[in-house]
Amino acid sequence: MALVNAGVVVLDCAEPERLAEFYKELLDGRETDVTANRVEIEGAGGTRLAFRRDVNATPPSWPRPENSLQAHLDFLVDDLDEVERLIVGLGGRPLETRGADGPYEERGYADPAGHSFTLRQTPSTAPKQG
C-alpha cells in the first residue's frame, strides 16, 4: 500500500468562491468541500481542484519571475510523521508544521528544488475503538 496518494491541485486566490465557480462551470463540476477559506471542486472527468483564500494574492506574471508562483500541491496521507521522515530522507525539508484550523491537519514542505507542497491528514472514517 502506498504511503502517499495524489491529492488535489490548489490555486491561491483572493476570491476562492468566484474562481471555483469559473472552474466548476468550465469543467462541468461540482463542489465537494467548502470552508470559509477554501473551496474544492471535482470536474466531470474526475479532475480535482481547490481554491484557497489568500488576501494578498496577485495575478501570475509568468514567465516573468515576480509573482510567478501561484499554486502548490496537496498530498493526502494517513500518517504525517511517517511521511515526514520519508520526505526528509529523500532530501525535502519542513516549511510549516503547525496544525491548521478545521477538520484537517496539514504540514508544509519544500522538495529538494524548493517547490512547496502540503501534506494533509484527513480524519479517520473508522469507528473509534475502546
Side-chain angles (χ1 to χ4, degrees):
M1 173 172 44
L3 289 175
V4 179
N5 294 307
V8 59
V9 174
V10 178
L11 301 176
D12 293 342
C13 57
E15 300 176 81
E17 302 84 1
R18 187 172 174 197
L19 195 56
E21 189 63 30
F22 171 82
Y23 281 100
K24 189 170 71 170
E25 293 298 318
L26 181 67
L27 301 172
D28 191 26
R30 63 182 179 85
E31 291 179 350
T32 58
D33 189 25
V34 179
T35 65
N37 292 309
R38 180 183 164 108
V39 178
E40 187 171 320
I41 67 164
E42 182 175 2
T47 300
R48 293 176 54 206
L49 296 173
F51 310 93
R52 185 178 68 169
R53 188 176 317 281
D54 177 353
V55 296
N56 297 314
T58 56
S61 59
W62 187 90
R64 297 183 317 273
E66 63 276 359
N67 301 323
S68 62
L69 177 61
Q70 296 294 316
H72 69 272
L73 298 173
D74 275 5
F75 296 104
L76 304 177
V77 302
D78 290 326
D79 186 327
L80 287 166
D81 294 331
E82 182 178 7
V83 177
E84 180 172 295
R85 287 189 293 274
L86 176 63
I87 290 166
V88 171
L90 293 171
R93 62 185 166 83
L95 294 176
E96 189 176 319
T97 56
R98 65 175 170 75
D101 296 333
Y104 304 104
E105 184 178 349
E106 62 182 50
R107 297 179 187 172
Y109 298 88
D111 67 20
H115 301 105
S116 64
F117 62 94
T118 302
L119 297 182
R120 295 179 68 217
Q121 182 177 30
T122 56
S124 173
T125 56
K128 186 174 180 178
Q129 301 294 318

